[in-house]
Amino acid sequence: MRGLSCERLLYLHKNHPELKAKTQKLNSLIGRRNGFVKELIISHLANGLKFYKIQESDTLSSAAKTGELINEDNVFIQRPLFLFEKIYSSLDFIIKKEGKVYCYSVQARTAGKKSRVNSLGYQIAIAHLAGLKIEDVLLVTLNPDYDRGKELSVEKLLHIESVRDVIFEELPFFNNGINQINNKFPKVEEPPAKLDRKCIRGSVCVFFEHCFPDVNSSKIMEIGGMHLDDKLELISEGKTSLDDLPEDFELNDFSKMQLSTNSGKKTIVDYTGLREFFDTLQYPLYFTDFEAIQPAVPVYKGTSSYRQIPFQYYLIKYLSDGSFIESSFLPLNNEDPREGFLYSFIENTEGEGSIIVFDKTSEIKMLRELLKAFPEKTPEVEDRIERIVDLKDPFDQMMFYHYEMKGSKTLKSIISVVKKEEYYKNLEIANGGSASFLFELYLYGILDKSHEELKSDLIEYCKTDVVSMVEIVDFLKRIIGYNGKS
Ligand code: SF4
């Protein structure tokens, strides 16, 4: 309902929908995952009812078709559309049974303590104003307490709660918002763009690129460690370069360091700090990276929705003589990967030596999660956790910064400085999120990629992360002239 605070958005939505930003690859994977969850729920709840899906080509015909179908009984109508004056709303689905209408909203998240019904409230208010008599409004989410058995029970997976009273209590508020939109809409001329928090509230507006094409390349956007809201506020005040920042503007230490390098295009190197960091490393060095899924629909026995499940690692073991051994784990079958993952990781990291990861929080979390399923491996897992060294630490502690990192301390921004090339540019999978969603879609059986293709893309991505870490360590050692403990 961003439209309530932006007339321009309403205008663009109506007149220039083609200007909306294209869906990013990751978002489209999330969309496919959510679509799978929705379809699963629909096929379960539509069972025994006459099923219709509204797919007319325009708003008026969709509203007319909905009106026609709603006269039937024992029906399930997917994507019904309701028109009130100049605005319309589409619901996930409605069920009409014994003359009573039940409106449903599906959210592919686990049931929380407090349900967020704001945008659903507007949708229901429009249907209500359009004349729909509503018996109940039901919110369908996923039950976090359902542990899957051998077979999936969709009935137990679902959490269905009535939010009718919450929405109907607030109906005057929603109606007021709808009237405001009706009065503002449609504008004949494109209202001017005004940059403020409404453009990014919740998520970035789909017209952001169109309204503010220069903002993303602004130097202000490159300031690390600063909230997006604050950056937009500075830009909306007309500040475009780092020199425009007010002298008394409060910056954290990282931003201050970044600004000091930007002005002179310098590199910061803390020779002592880096030397001390390398002194803590013990050979052999195990460089590794884990990938995990958090499937919305539990795919393995004994797991619940969004439980983190590691499914892949890549490991490079470096010996002090410069030789190395590579190993990896990635099962491409429908069997639970956790046991194989843990046992093979333990075996491949047996003995002594530092285990180097980038941002240890997630790897430690995954190992601890695995311990819950395999407590018999507690001594081994505790030993591996103890040996973990975080390669992100020297960057967090500002031991190295190059102005081309543009305020970012991610593995990708560091390696692009180290290798002077876009290391990840040609990869099919370019981030951990995509790797995770692709594997999840594969498990649901809805991935349009062959096993071989997926396997090779996943290995390539995970390996690139690990090789990047090796390159970064070599690079840092080189620039400080590190030849081993003094
Ligand atoms: S980016 Fe901001 S100004 Fe432009 S349409 Fe969206 S909310 Fe309105």
Side-chain angles (χ1 to χ4, degrees):
M1 282 287 138
R2 211 191 303 258
L4 276 176
S5 51
C6 184
E7 295 181 11
R8 181 177 167 85
L9 183 133
L10 295 174
Y11 172 88
L12 291 172
H13 192 72
K14 167 83 176 151
N15 298 294
H16 294 290
E18 76 284 0
L19 296 175
K20 283 182 190 173
K22 292 208 169 47
T23 312
Q24 300 286 317
K25 199 170 177 185
L26 180 61
N27 288 340
S28 101
L29 292 175
I30 296 171
R32 284 181 64 194
R33 191 276 307 273
N34 291 349
F36 173 81
V37 175
K38 215 168 250 189
E39 287 302 319
L40 189 77
I41 293 170
I42 286 172
S43 62
H44 176 72
L45 294 176
N47 196 13
L49 300 167
K50 282 176 276 176
F51 179 85
Y52 298 101
K53 184 172 183 177
I54 301 294
Q55 32 199 356
E56 321 306 300
S57 56
D58 62 84
T59 312
L60 281 178
S61 341
S62 298
K65 187 71 184 171
T66 302
E68 183 192 317
L69 294 172
I70 208 96
N71 288 324
E72 297 188 26
D73 204 19
N74 281 326
V75 283
F76 183 106
I77 309 171
Q78 190 180 353
R79 303 301 296 159
L81 188 136
F82 300 94
L83 191 59
F84 172 67
E85 297 184 1
K86 298 171 215 155
I87 52 177
Y88 63 86
S89 85
S90 181
L91 297 171
D92 282 335
F93 58 89
I94 54 179
I95 288 177
K96 189 174 171 202
K97 263 200 288 198
E98 295 167 10
K100 290 178 179 156
V101 173
Y102 301 86
C103 299
Y104 284 81
S105 170
V106 174
Q107 297 179 5
R109 61 172 176 89
T110 45
K113 284 195 182 94
K114 201 164 185 296
S115 291
R116 292 158 290 171
V117 292
N118 210 28
S119 85
L120 176 60
Y122 283 106
Q123 291 169 306
I124 292 296
I126 293 167
H128 188 250
L129 288 168
L132 185 71
K133 284 204 173 62
I134 299 168
E135 178 69 17
D136 207 348
V137 183
L138 298 137
L139 186 62
V140 188
T141 49
L142 304 172
N143 173 9
D145 300 323
Y146 167 61
D147 273 343
R148 180 187 165 135
K150 193 160 175 264
E151 299 299 328
L152 178 73
S153 162
V154 180
E155 189 167 356
K156 288 181 185 163
L157 171 69
L158 302 189
H159 176 90
I160 303 179
E161 63 177 312
S162 171
V163 288
R164 186 190 187 283
D165 292 349
V166 186
I167 289 176
F168 274 69
E169 249 172 52
E170 298 286 327
L171 219 45
F173 169 79
F174 295 127
N175 288 346
N176 183 37
I178 289 161
N179 285 330
Q180 277 184 44
I181 295 179
N182 256 330
N183 295 336
K184 285 176 184 173
F185 198 56
K187 292 276 170 194
V188 180
E189 280 179 26
E190 188 166 330
K194 187 173 177 316
L195 181 63
D196 55 35
R197 280 158 209 256
K198 72 177 181 312
C199 304
I200 53 157
R201 194 174 292 138
S203 59
V204 178
C205 173
V206 286
F207 294 109
F208 193 88
E209 275 287 322
H210 166 68
C211 295
F212 311 106
D214 300 327
V215 163
N216 282 332
S217 55
S218 157
K219 287 284 169 204
I220 303 287
M221 292 301 270
E222 290 178 6
I223 301 176
M226 186 189 284
H227 199 278
L228 187 58
D229 280 4
D230 296 329
K231 292 179 186 175
L232 289 184
E233 200 164 312
L234 287 168
I235 294 169
S236 67
E237 288 165 6
K239 300 182 173 51
T240 54
S241 82
L242 303 174
D243 296 334
D244 294 337
L245 288 180
E247 276 188 13
D248 58 350
F249 194 81
E250 273 206 32
L251 292 164
N252 62 26
D253 288 349
F254 182 75
S255 304
K256 279 185 204 157
M257 177 198 63
Q258 185 197 350
L259 295 197
S260 77
T261 61
N262 260 299
S263 49
K265 299 208 164 181
K266 289 181 292 187
T267 302
I268 285 180
V269 183
D270 173 357
Y271 286 80
T272 312
L274 284 171
R275 179 165 287 280
E276 282 170 6
F277 173 77
F278 288 125
D279 279 350
T280 64
L281 300 185
Q282 282 204 336
Y283 277 90
L285 304 179
Y286 296 88
F287 293 85
T288 193
D289 181 50
F290 297 177
E291 302 298 337
I293 41 166
Q294 290 184 281
V297 177
V299 276
Y300 306 118
K301 187 169 176 265
T303 62
S304 50
S305 291
Y306 296 111
R307 169 86 63 85
Q308 190 176 55
I309 297 168
F311 67 93
Q312 177 186 18
Y313 71 77
Y314 201 88
L315 182 75
I316 302 181
K317 177 181 178 181
Y318 258 90
L319 305 168
S320 51
D321 63 4
S323 61
F324 61 90
I325 303 159
E326 294 173 77
S327 55
S328 65
F329 179 84
L330 173 62
L332 270 191
N333 53 38
N334 288 329
E335 278 168 30
D336 189 339
R338 292 176 296 169
E339 186 173 0
F341 179 104
L342 185 63
Y343 277 66
S344 89
F345 183 72
I346 286 173
E347 192 183 322
N348 286 327
T349 50
E350 184 78 62
E352 294 190 331
S354 303
I355 298 173
I356 302 174
V357 300
F358 194 90
D359 199 353
K360 66 183 178 189
T361 329
S362 57
E363 268 78 11
I364 291 179
K365 193 170 163 227
M366 286 186 232
L367 286 171
R368 293 226 179 276
E369 193 61 44
L370 285 167
L371 258 194
K372 288 183 196 160
F374 306 100
E376 72 278 9
K377 287 292 176 192
T378 302
E380 289 87 348
V381 170
E382 290 301 344
D383 168 76
R384 302 314 183 263
I385 290 175
E386 187 89 350
R387 285 161 50 199
I388 285 181
V389 176
D390 196 340
L391 184 55
K392 191 162 174 277
D393 283 350
F395 298 93
D396 280 341
Q397 290 164 26
M398 298 181 283
M399 292 178 196
F400 179 85
Y401 183 79
H402 186 282
Y403 70 94
E404 283 176 2
M405 284 161 61
K406 297 179 179 173
S408 166
K409 294 175 279 183
T410 62
L411 189 58
K412 291 175 185 63
S413 59
I414 299 166
I415 196 68
S416 66
V417 166
V418 168
K419 295 301 291 178
K420 297 283 176 214
E421 58 188 84
E422 282 188 64
Y423 227 42
Y424 291 78
K425 191 174 66 183
N426 298 321
L427 294 184
E428 258 309 294
I429 298 174
N431 56 58
S434 295
S436 163
F437 282 110
L438 283 167
F439 194 68
E440 185 175 347
L441 296 182
Y442 160 77
L443 292 171
Y444 296 153
I446 56 168
L447 185 66
D448 43 12
K449 248 181 200 295
S450 70
H451 286 198
E452 293 68 31
E453 254 183 295
L454 176 65
K455 190 163 186 163
S456 128
D457 292 347
L458 284 170
I459 291 177
E460 201 53 35
Y461 169 68
C462 200
K463 180 176 176 175
T464 304
D465 268 359
V466 179
V467 171
S468 296
M469 283 189 257
V470 175
E471 298 273 10
I472 290 167
V473 166
D474 280 352
F475 169 81
L476 293 176
K477 280 184 176 176
R478 230 173 19 249
I479 60 168
I480 64 164
Y482 186 87
N483 294 316
K485 284 182 198 170
S486 41

